[in-house]
Amino acid sequence: MQDPKTHLDRNETLRSIRDRRSIRTFADRQVSDDDLLAILHAAHQAPSAHNQQPWKFIVLKDKAKNDLAAMVSERSSNFPKPSAALLRMASRSIINAPVVVAVMNTGELIERGTELFKMDKEIAHDFFRIMEVQSSAASVQNMLLAATSLGLGTVWLGVLALMQKEVLGFFGEPEGEFVAIVPIGYPVKPGVQPAKHALDMVVKYL
Ligand SMILES: Cc1cc2nc3c(=O)[nH]c(=O)nc-3n(C[C@H](O)[C@H](O)[C@H](O)COP(=O)(O)O)c2cc1C
């Protein structure tokens, strides 16, 4: 099989996909409002089930960002070791990044879908919840790729889902569902490419 680098070198979009790495430490340099807006617009262009755009993006800077990091660090000790360490690491990335965007689901698709579709309520709830999570996850990936294309680094922090109630309460969005927290900034050093499975391990042709 050809080197994946060759396939991913064909245009700018593919190069951004190739070059995106999880970045957890950021340089002391602001992200411009223009770049932040481009990233938010990219996130908002994601596909969504029934075009319901079930996401909400919460931008945190300065005190709000630092207060979130402090809350995460403080509550991390309530969790067993591996999660506590991941939460503390997440808190450090939040403090360190000049700007953080949180992504959450609004729950509106779940509410509307279960009303509109003549399905068993429980199945409908699960179905629309999956649709919401998948739609918002697509918006997160758009965000990561847009940031990469602008020379910025990001990391998708999922571990804060462990304290989603507190996090959503902090945002003033108790009805929502946590999807991701994304610190954004200039990488201090390039990300290291982690091992990825060989493509033929994950693709099956029928
Ligand atoms: C749903 C999801 C949740 C993640 N949660 C975390 C997290 O809480 N903390 C963290 O440091 N990285 C987190 N990551 C980043 C992964 O660790 C990273 O994507 C993986 O190691 C591959 O590295 P790469 O992004 O550089 O390709 C998460 C990624 C995804 C997609």
Side-chain angles (χ1 to χ4, degrees):
M1 194 173 287
Q2 233 181 339
D3 181 357
K5 294 234 159 65
T6 315
H7 292 285
L8 296 177
D9 199 25
R10 289 175 51 189
N11 65 39
E12 238 183 282
T13 307
L14 291 171
R15 281 192 288 276
S16 291
I17 291 170
R18 178 196 64 192
D19 294 342
R20 183 209 56 79
R21 289 277 69 81
S22 290
I23 300 293
R24 298 175 176 86
T25 318
F26 303 92
D28 185 13
R29 180 177 166 192
Q30 289 306 307
V31 172
S32 74
D33 289 345
D34 254 11
D35 282 359
L36 178 60
L37 264 181
I39 291 166
L40 292 169
H41 276 293
H44 194 42
Q45 285 302 310
S48 67
H50 295 275
N51 191 29
Q52 285 293 302
Q53 305 152 56
W55 43 68
K56 198 157 187 178
F57 307 116
I58 294 156
V59 180
L60 298 104
K61 288 184 187 177
D62 306 319
K63 185 176 172 348
K65 181 182 72 69
N66 296 341
D67 286 352
L68 173 69
M71 185 189 84
V72 174
S73 169
E74 198 184 300
R75 309 262 164 104
S76 64
S77 51
N78 300 338
F79 291 85
K81 243 187 182 170
S83 331
L86 277 174
L87 285 164
R88 278 197 302 274
M89 209 168 98
S91 160
R92 281 197 293 274
S93 293
I94 294 170
I95 280 269
N96 194 238
V99 60
V100 166
V101 179
V103 182
M104 49 166 282
N105 287 330
T106 58
E108 276 165 44
L109 176 59
I110 296 175
E111 206 172 297
R112 214 163 299 153
T114 44
E115 272 167 23
L116 287 176
F117 281 63
K118 292 186 179 75
M119 283 161 92
D120 175 82
K121 241 198 147 70
E122 210 167 299
I123 294 174
H125 182 278
D126 279 359
F127 173 70
F128 287 109
R129 185 174 167 269
I130 290 169
M131 294 299 113
E132 280 211 3
V133 174
Q134 291 183 350
S135 303
S136 294
S139 82
V140 179
Q141 183 67 358
N142 270 14
M143 197 183 283
L144 306 190
L145 293 176
T148 304
S149 76
L150 294 167
L152 290 159
T154 54
V155 59
W156 179 325
L157 295 177
V159 70
L160 277 87
L162 287 173
M163 45 173 79
Q164 81 153 331
K165 243 188 160 170
E166 289 102 314
V167 170
L168 292 167
F170 180 92
F171 298 153
E173 301 283 348
E175 304 303 322
E177 181 177 27
F178 175 90
V179 177
I181 289 201
V182 184
I184 305 172
Y186 287 90
V188 245
K189 53 180 185 323
V192 178
Q193 157 91 62
K196 301 274 177 185
H197 298 313
L199 191 66
D200 47 14
M201 266 180 75
V202 296
V203 178
K204 178 174 171 178
Y205 294 91
L206 294 178

